[in-house]
Amino acid sequence: MSGAAAKQPPGAGSADKAAAAAAGDSVPEPPPPSLLSVDVTGLVSQFARSFVLIFPVYVLGYLGLSFSWVLIALCGLFWIRRHRGGKTSRLGRALAFLEDEEEAVRLSVSSADLPAWVHFPDTERAEWLNKTVKQMWPFICQFIEKLFRETIEPAVRGANNHLSTFSFTKIDIGHQPLRINGVKVYTENVDKRQIILDLQISFVGNCEIDLEIKRYFCRAGVKSIQIHGTMRVILEPLIGDMPLIGALSLFFLRKPLLEINWTGLTNLLDVPGLNVLSLCRFPDSCEFPMCHLLGQQKDKEPYFSG
């Protein structure tokens, strides 16, 4: 080893040192750390949160009010958020059930959630009707949009001068169609000139209906609707001319389960006790005349009776 080292040509050691120095020079040196590093966005966000928390306390002290008002407001906000979260969860479960009913039944659904045709032999399952409604749903949505814009919107504008700028900015009923879980037809103890049907209906729609009053820069709307109930349909009188049915009457036998998720200023209506409404509940009904024999005026538009 010592002999091999001795046989190295002169100047080899200096060449190796020069190569090592050149390799060391090619590696860039890391920049020196900055003396001042401030997250402006995080600082502004933290300041805004602190201001929102401290300003109500300052206002209460300035007005000489009790601090208990802050606690009441916080409790009310927490209660409303909790109620809205539960409503969103129920809406998601209902959508999942309607998308795959067989899978939901297979996973041991409780008997209270099963359709009426499972419990009552005189209630029939009408899947053909659901398929028909699904095929017609886009055209039903077009009819509903036309009804909102051509009938409801002018009626609201003419009701009050303050609502003269009222308009619907968006009407989307959603892609999920109405579902009929069971049908019962009454054939005994009924008039021969009428047909009575009981429909177990369920509608879980991710609809969006937005309205605006431009005069007051006011916006509100609905972002989802859920309806479950028993609707009675009466076809009477039966006549010998086309379309064979004189009028169509619709009403709910009992108050239906109705849940609405509001947006904008209508969030004030999103309170338990105010979100369950009576929609055409007996003895009130919504009647659609279908024959000119019942009057020309009634033949043009539906009317309510009760």
Side-chain angles (χ1 to χ4, degrees), residues 87 91 148 166-174 203-212 219-227 258-270 274-275 277 279:
K87 179 181 293 185
L91 181 63
F148 270 79
F166 174 88
S167 64
F168 289 100
T169 58
K170 182 177 182 181
I171 300 176
D172 183 10
I173 308 302
F203 176 66
V204 183
N206 51 348
C207 61
E208 293 185 15
I209 302 175
D210 297 331
L211 56 91
E212 180 183 16
R219 294 183 179 181
V222 175
K223 61 181 178 180
S224 64
I225 299 177
Q226 184 175 172
I227 303 175
L258 174 63
E259 290 192 1
I260 301 177
N261 285 340
W262 305 93
T263 60
L265 292 179
T266 48
N267 269 319
L268 299 174
L269 301 177
D270 196 6
L274 296 180
N275 57 353
L277 308 178
L279 294 178

CSV table of all heavy atoms in Angstrom, one decimal, residues 87 91 148 166-174 203-212 219-227 258-270 274-275 277 279:
chain,number,residue,atom,x,y,z
A,87,LYS,N,-82.4,18.0,9.3
A,87,LYS,CA,-83.2,18.0,8.1
A,87,LYS,C,-82.4,17.5,6.8
A,87,LYS,O,-82.9,16.7,6.0
A,87,LYS,CB,-83.8,19.4,7.9
A,87,LYS,CG,-84.7,19.5,6.7
A,87,LYS,CD,-85.2,20.9,6.5
A,87,LYS,CE,-86.2,21.2,7.6
A,87,LYS,NZ,-86.8,22.6,7.4
A,91,LEU,N,-83.2,14.2,4.5
A,91,LEU,CA,-83.3,14.4,3.1
A,91,LEU,C,-82.4,13.4,2.3
A,91,LEU,O,-82.8,12.8,1.3
A,91,LEU,CB,-83.1,15.8,2.6
A,91,LEU,CG,-83.2,16.2,1.2
A,91,LEU,CD1,-84.7,15.9,0.7
A,91,LEU,CD2,-82.8,17.6,0.9
A,148,PHE,N,-95.9,28.7,-12.8
A,148,PHE,CA,-95.3,29.7,-11.9
A,148,PHE,C,-95.2,31.0,-12.6
A,148,PHE,O,-95.5,32.1,-12.1
A,148,PHE,CB,-93.9,29.2,-11.4
A,148,PHE,CG,-94.0,28.4,-10.2
A,148,PHE,CD1,-94.4,27.1,-10.2
A,148,PHE,CD2,-93.7,29.0,-9.0
A,148,PHE,CE1,-94.4,26.3,-9.0
A,148,PHE,CE2,-93.7,28.2,-7.8
A,148,PHE,CZ,-94.1,26.9,-7.8
A,166,PHE,N,-91.9,41.8,-8.4
A,166,PHE,CA,-91.7,40.4,-8.0
A,166,PHE,C,-91.5,39.5,-9.2
A,166,PHE,O,-92.2,39.7,-10.3
A,166,PHE,CB,-93.0,39.9,-7.2
A,166,PHE,CG,-92.9,38.4,-6.9
A,166,PHE,CD1,-92.3,38.0,-5.8
A,166,PHE,CD2,-93.5,37.5,-7.8
A,166,PHE,CE1,-92.3,36.6,-5.5
A,166,PHE,CE2,-93.5,36.2,-7.5
A,166,PHE,CZ,-92.9,35.7,-6.3
A,167,SER,N,-90.6,38.6,-9.2
A,167,SER,CA,-90.3,37.7,-10.3
A,167,SER,C,-89.6,36.5,-9.8
A,167,SER,O,-88.9,36.5,-8.8
A,167,SER,CB,-89.5,38.4,-11.4
A,167,SER,OG,-88.2,38.7,-10.9
A,168,PHE,N,-89.7,35.4,-10.5
A,168,PHE,CA,-89.0,34.1,-10.3
A,168,PHE,C,-87.7,34.2,-11.2
A,168,PHE,O,-87.8,34.2,-12.4
A,168,PHE,CB,-89.9,32.9,-10.6
A,168,PHE,CG,-91.0,32.7,-9.7
A,168,PHE,CD1,-92.3,33.1,-10.0
A,168,PHE,CD2,-90.8,32.1,-8.5
A,168,PHE,CE1,-93.3,32.8,-9.1
A,168,PHE,CE2,-91.8,31.8,-7.6
A,168,PHE,CZ,-93.1,32.2,-7.9
A,169,THR,N,-86.6,34.1,-10.5
A,169,THR,CA,-85.3,34.1,-11.2
A,169,THR,C,-84.9,32.7,-11.7
A,169,THR,O,-84.1,32.6,-12.6
A,169,THR,CB,-84.2,34.8,-10.4
A,169,THR,OG1,-84.1,34.1,-9.1
A,169,THR,CG2,-84.6,36.2,-10.1
A,170,LYS,N,-85.3,31.7,-10.9
A,170,LYS,CA,-84.9,30.3,-11.3
A,170,LYS,C,-86.0,29.4,-10.8
A,170,LYS,O,-86.4,29.5,-9.7
A,170,LYS,CB,-83.5,30.0,-10.7
A,170,LYS,CG,-83.1,28.6,-11.0
A,170,LYS,CD,-81.7,28.3,-10.4
A,170,LYS,CE,-81.2,26.9,-10.8
A,170,LYS,NZ,-79.8,26.7,-10.2
A,171,ILE,N,-86.4,28.5,-11.7
A,171,ILE,CA,-87.4,27.4,-11.4
A,171,ILE,C,-86.8,26.1,-11.9
A,171,ILE,O,-86.8,25.9,-13.1
A,171,ILE,CB,-88.7,27.7,-12.0
A,171,ILE,CG1,-89.3,29.1,-11.5
A,171,ILE,CG2,-89.7,26.6,-11.6
A,171,ILE,CD1,-90.6,29.5,-12.1
A,172,ASP,N,-86.4,25.3,-10.9
A,172,ASP,CA,-85.9,24.0,-11.3
A,172,ASP,C,-86.5,23.0,-10.3
A,172,ASP,O,-86.2,22.9,-9.1
A,172,ASP,CB,-84.4,23.9,-11.2
A,172,ASP,CG,-83.8,22.6,-11.6
A,172,ASP,OD1,-84.5,21.7,-12.1
A,172,ASP,OD2,-82.6,22.4,-11.4
A,173,ILE,N,-87.4,22.1,-10.8
A,173,ILE,CA,-88.1,21.2,-9.9
A,173,ILE,C,-87.2,20.0,-9.6
A,173,ILE,O,-87.5,19.3,-8.6
A,173,ILE,CB,-89.4,20.7,-10.6
A,173,ILE,CG1,-90.2,21.9,-11.0
A,173,ILE,CG2,-90.3,19.9,-9.6
A,173,ILE,CD1,-90.6,22.9,-9.9
A,174,GLY,N,-86.2,19.8,-10.3
A,174,GLY,CA,-85.3,18.7,-10.0
A,174,GLY,C,-85.5,17.5,-10.9
A,174,GLY,O,-86.5,17.3,-11.5
A,203,PHE,N,-92.4,12.4,-2.4
A,203,PHE,CA,-91.6,13.3,-3.3
A,203,PHE,C,-90.5,13.9,-2.5
A,203,PHE,O,-90.7,14.6,-1.5
A,203,PHE,CB,-92.5,14.4,-3.9
A,203,PHE,CG,-91.7,15.4,-4.7
A,203,PHE,CD1,-91.1,15.0,-5.9
A,203,PHE,CD2,-91.5,16.7,-4.3
A,203,PHE,CE1,-90.4,15.9,-6.7
A,203,PHE,CE2,-90.8,17.6,-5.1
A,203,PHE,CZ,-90.2,17.2,-6.3
A,204,VAL,N,-89.3,13.5,-2.9
A,204,VAL,CA,-88.0,14.1,-2.3
A,204,VAL,C,-87.3,14.7,-3.5
A,204,VAL,O,-86.6,14.1,-4.2
A,204,VAL,CB,-87.2,13.0,-1.7
A,204,VAL,CG1,-86.0,13.6,-1.0
A,204,VAL,CG2,-88.0,12.2,-0.7
A,205,GLY,N,-87.4,16.0,-3.6
A,205,GLY,CA,-86.9,16.8,-4.7
A,205,GLY,C,-85.8,17.7,-4.3
A,205,GLY,O,-85.9,18.5,-3.3
A,206,ASN,N,-84.7,17.7,-5.1
A,206,ASN,CA,-83.6,18.7,-4.9
A,206,ASN,C,-83.9,19.9,-5.8
A,206,ASN,O,-83.0,20.2,-6.6
A,206,ASN,CB,-82.3,18.0,-5.2
A,206,ASN,CG,-82.2,17.3,-6.5
A,206,ASN,OD1,-83.3,17.1,-7.1
A,206,ASN,ND2,-81.1,17.0,-7.0
A,207,CYS,N,-85.0,20.5,-5.6
A,207,CYS,CA,-85.4,21.5,-6.5
A,207,CYS,C,-84.8,22.9,-6.0
A,207,CYS,O,-84.3,23.0,-4.9
A,207,CYS,CB,-87.0,21.7,-6.5
A,207,CYS,SG,-87.7,22.0,-4.9
A,208,GLU,N,-84.8,23.8,-6.9
A,208,GLU,CA,-84.3,25.2,-6.7
A,208,GLU,C,-85.3,26.2,-7.3
A,208,GLU,O,-85.4,26.2,-8.5
A,208,GLU,CB,-82.9,25.4,-7.3
A,208,GLU,CG,-81.8,24.5,-6.6
A,208,GLU,CD,-80.4,24.8,-7.1
A,208,GLU,OE1,-80.3,25.9,-7.8
A,208,GLU,OE2,-79.5,24.0,-6.9
A,209,ILE,N,-85.9,26.9,-6.4
A,209,ILE,CA,-86.9,27.9,-6.8
A,209,ILE,C,-86.4,29.2,-6.1
A,209,ILE,O,-86.5,29.4,-4.9
A,209,ILE,CB,-88.3,27.6,-6.4
A,209,ILE,CG1,-88.7,26.2,-7.0
A,209,ILE,CG2,-89.3,28.7,-6.8
A,209,ILE,CD1,-90.1,25.8,-6.6
A,210,ASP,N,-86.0,30.2,-6.9
A,210,ASP,CA,-85.5,31.5,-6.4
A,210,ASP,C,-86.4,32.6,-6.9
A,210,ASP,O,-86.8,32.6,-8.1
A,210,ASP,CB,-84.1,31.7,-6.9
A,210,ASP,CG,-83.1,30.7,-6.4
A,210,ASP,OD1,-83.3,30.1,-5.3
A,210,ASP,OD2,-82.1,30.4,-7.1
A,211,LEU,N,-86.7,33.5,-6.0
A,211,LEU,CA,-87.5,34.6,-6.4
A,211,LEU,C,-86.8,35.9,-5.9
A,211,LEU,O,-85.9,35.9,-5.0
A,211,LEU,CB,-88.9,34.5,-5.7
A,211,LEU,CG,-89.0,34.3,-4.2
A,211,LEU,CD1,-89.1,35.7,-3.5
A,211,LEU,CD2,-90.2,33.5,-3.9
A,212,GLU,N,-87.3,37.0,-6.5
A,212,GLU,CA,-86.6,38.3,-6.2
A,212,GLU,C,-87.6,39.4,-6.3
A,212,GLU,O,-88.5,39.4,-7.1
A,212,GLU,CB,-85.5,38.5,-7.2
A,212,GLU,CG,-84.7,39.8,-7.0
A,212,GLU,CD,-83.7,40.0,-8.1
A,212,GLU,OE1,-83.7,39.3,-9.1
A,212,GLU,OE2,-82.8,40.9,-7.9
A,219,ARG,N,-84.2,38.8,-1.9
A,219,ARG,CA,-84.1,37.5,-2.6
A,219,ARG,C,-84.4,36.4,-1.6
A,219,ARG,O,-84.0,36.5,-0.4
A,219,ARG,CB,-82.7,37.3,-3.2
A,219,ARG,CG,-82.3,38.3,-4.3
A,219,ARG,CD,-81.0,37.9,-4.9
A,219,ARG,NE,-80.6,38.8,-6.0
A,219,ARG,CZ,-79.5,38.7,-6.7
A,219,ARG,NH1,-78.6,37.8,-6.4
A,219,ARG,NH2,-79.3,39.6,-7.7
A,220,ALA,N,-85.1,35.4,-2.1
A,220,ALA,CA,-85.5,34.3,-1.2
A,220,ALA,C,-85.7,33.1,-2.2
A,220,ALA,O,-85.6,33.2,-3.4
A,220,ALA,CB,-86.7,34.6,-0.4
A,221,GLY,N,-86.0,31.9,-1.5
A,221,GLY,CA,-86.2,30.8,-2.4
A,221,GLY,C,-86.3,29.5,-1.6
A,221,GLY,O,-86.3,29.5,-0.4
A,222,VAL,N,-86.3,28.4,-2.3
A,222,VAL,CA,-86.4,27.0,-1.8
A,222,VAL,C,-85.4,26.2,-2.5
A,222,VAL,O,-85.2,26.3,-3.7
A,222,VAL,CB,-87.8,26.4,-2.0
A,222,VAL,CG1,-87.9,25.0,-1.6
A,222,VAL,CG2,-88.9,27.3,-1.3
A,223,LYS,N,-84.7,25.4,-1.7
A,223,LYS,CA,-83.6,24.5,-2.3
A,223,LYS,C,-83.9,23.1,-2.2
A,223,LYS,O,-83.2,22.3,-2.9
A,223,LYS,CB,-82.3,24.8,-1.7
A,223,LYS,CG,-82.2,24.5,-0.2
A,223,LYS,CD,-80.8,24.9,0.4
A,223,LYS,CE,-80.7,24.6,1.9
A,223,LYS,NZ,-79.4,25.0,2.4
A,224,SER,N,-84.9,22.6,-1.5
A,224,SER,CA,-85.3,21.2,-1.5
A,224,SER,C,-86.7,21.1,-0.8
A,224,SER,O,-87.0,21.9,0.1
A,224,SER,CB,-84.3,20.3,-0.8
A,224,SER,OG,-84.2,20.7,0.6
A,225,ILE,N,-87.5,20.1,-1.3
A,225,ILE,CA,-88.8,19.9,-0.8
A,225,ILE,C,-88.9,18.4,-0.6
A,225,ILE,O,-88.5,17.5,-1.4
A,225,ILE,CB,-89.9,20.4,-1.7
A,225,ILE,CG1,-89.8,21.9,-1.9
A,225,ILE,CG2,-91.3,20.0,-1.2
A,225,ILE,CD1,-90.8,22.4,-2.9
A,226,GLN,N,-89.6,18.0,0.5
A,226,GLN,CA,-89.9,16.6,0.8
A,226,GLN,C,-91.3,16.5,1.3
A,226,GLN,O,-91.8,17.2,2.2
A,226,GLN,CB,-88.9,16.1,1.9
A,226,GLN,CG,-89.1,14.6,2.2
A,226,GLN,CD,-88.1,14.0,3.2
A,226,GLN,OE1,-88.2,12.9,3.6
A,226,GLN,NE2,-87.1,14.8,3.5
A,227,ILE,N,-92.1,15.6,0.6
A,227,ILE,CA,-93.6,15.5,0.9
A,227,ILE,C,-93.9,14.0,1.0
A,227,ILE,O,-93.5,13.2,0.1
A,227,ILE,CB,-94.4,16.1,-0.2
A,227,ILE,CG1,-94.1,17.6,-0.4
A,227,ILE,CG2,-95.9,16.0,0.1
A,227,ILE,CD1,-94.9,18.3,-1.5
A,258,LEU,N,-94.4,17.5,5.4
A,258,LEU,CA,-93.8,18.5,4.4
A,258,LEU,C,-92.6,19.1,5.1
A,258,LEU,O,-92.7,19.7,6.1
A,258,LEU,CB,-94.8,19.5,4.0
A,258,LEU,CG,-94.3,20.6,3.1
A,258,LEU,CD1,-93.8,20.1,1.8
A,258,LEU,CD2,-95.3,21.7,2.9
A,259,GLU,N,-91.4,19.0,4.4
A,259,GLU,CA,-90.2,19.6,4.9
A,259,GLU,C,-89.6,20.5,3.8
A,259,GLU,O,-89.4,19.9,2.7
A,259,GLU,CB,-89.2,18.6,5.4
A,259,GLU,CG,-89.6,17.9,6.7
A,259,GLU,CD,-88.5,17.2,7.3
A,259,GLU,OE1,-87.4,17.2,6.7
A,259,GLU,OE2,-88.7,16.6,8.4
A,260,ILE,N,-89.4,21.7,4.0
A,260,ILE,CA,-88.9,22.6,3.0
A,260,ILE,C,-87.6,23.3,3.6
A,260,ILE,O,-87.6,23.8,4.7
A,260,ILE,CB,-89.9,23.7,2.7
A,260,ILE,CG1,-91.2,23.1,2.1
A,260,ILE,CG2,-89.3,24.7,1.7
A,260,ILE,CD1,-92.3,24.1,1.9
A,261,ASN,N,-86.5,23.3,2.8
A,261,ASN,CA,-85.3,24.0,3.1
A,261,ASN,C,-85.3,25.3,2.4
A,261,ASN,O,-85.3,25.4,1.1
A,261,ASN,CB,-84.1,23.2,2.7
A,261,ASN,CG,-83.8,22.0,3.6
A,261,ASN,OD1,-84.3,22.0,4.7
A,261,ASN,ND2,-83.1,21.0,3.1
A,262,TRP,N,-85.4,26.4,3.1
A,262,TRP,CA,-85.5,27.7,2.6
A,262,TRP,C,-84.2,28.3,2.4
A,262,TRP,O,-83.2,27.9,3.0
A,262,TRP,CB,-86.4,28.6,3.5
A,262,TRP,CG,-87.7,28.1,3.8
A,262,TRP,CD1,-88.1,27.3,4.9
A,262,TRP,CD2,-88.9,28.3,3.1
A,262,TRP,NE1,-89.4,27.0,4.9
A,262,TRP,CE2,-90.0,27.6,3.8
A,262,TRP,CE3,-89.2,28.9,1.9
A,262,TRP,CZ2,-91.3,27.6,3.3
A,262,TRP,CZ3,-90.6,28.9,1.4
A,262,TRP,CH2,-91.5,28.2,2.2
A,263,THR,N,-84.1,29.4,1.5
A,263,THR,CA,-82.9,30.1,1.3
A,263,THR,C,-83.2,31.6,1.4
A,263,THR,O,-84.4,32.0,1.3
A,263,THR,CB,-82.3,29.8,0.0
A,263,THR,OG1,-83.2,30.2,-1.1
A,263,THR,CG2,-81.9,28.4,-0.2
A,264,GLY,N,-82.2,32.4,1.7
A,264,GLY,CA,-82.4,33.9,1.7
A,264,GLY,C,-83.2,34.3,2.9
A,264,GLY,O,-83.1,33.7,4.0
A,265,LEU,N,-84.1,35.3,2.8
A,265,LEU,CA,-84.9,35.8,3.9
A,265,LEU,C,-85.9,34.8,4.4
A,265,LEU,O,-86.4,34.9,5.5
A,265,LEU,CB,-85.6,37.1,3.4
A,265,LEU,CG,-84.7,38.3,3.2
A,265,LEU,CD1,-85.5,39.5,2.7
A,265,LEU,CD2,-83.9,38.6,4.4
A,266,THR,N,-86.3,33.8,3.5
A,266,THR,CA,-87.3,32.9,3.9
A,266,THR,C,-86.7,31.8,4.9
A,266,THR,O,-87.4,30.9,5.3
A,266,THR,CB,-87.8,32.1,2.7
A,266,THR,OG1,-86.8,31.7,1.9
A,266,THR,CG2,-88.8,33.0,1.9
A,267,ASN,N,-85.4,32.0,5.3
A,267,ASN,CA,-84.9,31.1,6.3
A,267,ASN,C,-85.6,31.3,7.6
A,267,ASN,O,-85.6,30.5,8.5
A,267,ASN,CB,-83.4,31.4,6.5
A,267,ASN,CG,-82.5,30.5,5.7
A,267,ASN,OD1,-82.8,29.4,5.5
A,267,ASN,ND2,-81.5,31.1,5.1
A,268,LEU,N,-86.3,32.5,7.8
A,268,LEU,CA,-87.1,32.7,9.0
A,268,LEU,C,-88.2,31.7,9.1
A,268,LEU,O,-88.7,31.4,10.2
A,268,LEU,CB,-87.7,34.1,9.0
A,268,LEU,CG,-86.6,35.2,9.0
A,268,LEU,CD1,-87.4,36.6,8.8
A,268,LEU,CD2,-85.8,35.2,10.2
A,269,LEU,N,-88.7,31.1,8.0
A,269,LEU,CA,-89.7,30.1,8.0
A,269,LEU,C,-89.2,28.7,8.3
A,269,LEU,O,-90.0,27.8,8.5
A,269,LEU,CB,-90.4,30.1,6.6
A,269,LEU,CG,-91.1,31.4,6.2
A,269,LEU,CD1,-91.7,31.2,4.8
A,269,LEU,CD2,-92.2,31.8,7.2
A,270,ASP,N,-87.9,28.5,8.4
A,270,ASP,CA,-87.3,27.2,8.6
A,270,ASP,C,-87.2,27.0,10.1
A,270,ASP,O,-86.1,26.8,10.7
A,270,ASP,CB,-85.9,27.2,8.0
A,270,ASP,CG,-85.4,25.7,7.9
A,270,ASP,OD1,-86.2,24.8,8.2
A,270,ASP,OD2,-84.2,25.5,7.5
A,274,LEU,N,-93.4,25.6,11.8
A,274,LEU,CA,-93.8,26.4,10.7
A,274,LEU,C,-93.6,25.7,9.3
A,274,LEU,O,-94.0,26.2,8.3
A,274,LEU,CB,-93.1,27.7,10.7
A,274,LEU,CG,-93.3,28.7,11.9
A,274,LEU,CD1,-92.5,29.9,11.7
A,274,LEU,CD2,-94.8,29.0,12.0
A,275,ASN,N,-92.9,24.6,9.3
A,275,ASN,CA,-92.5,24.0,8.0
A,275,ASN,C,-93.5,22.9,7.7
A,275,ASN,O,-93.3,22.2,6.7
A,275,ASN,CB,-91.1,23.4,8.1
A,275,ASN,CG,-91.0,22.4,9.2
A,275,ASN,OD1,-91.9,22.2,10.1
A,275,ASN,ND2,-89.8,21.7,9.3
A,277,LEU,N,-97.2,22.4,6.5
A,277,LEU,CA,-98.3,23.2,6.1
A,277,LEU,C,-99.5,22.3,5.6
A,277,LEU,O,-99.3,21.2,5.3
A,277,LEU,CB,-97.9,24.1,4.9
A,277,LEU,CG,-96.6,24.9,5.1
A,277,LEU,CD1,-96.3,25.6,3.8
A,277,LEU,CD2,-96.8,25.9,6.2
A,279,LEU,N,-101.7,21.5,2.8
A,279,LEU,CA,-101.8,21.6,1.4
A,279,LEU,C,-103.1,20.9,0.9
A,279,LEU,O,-103.1,19.7,0.9
A,279,LEU,CB,-100.6,21.1,0.7
A,279,LEU,CG,-99.3,21.9,1.0
A,279,LEU,CD1,-98.2,21.2,0.2
A,279,LEU,CD2,-99.4,23.3,0.5
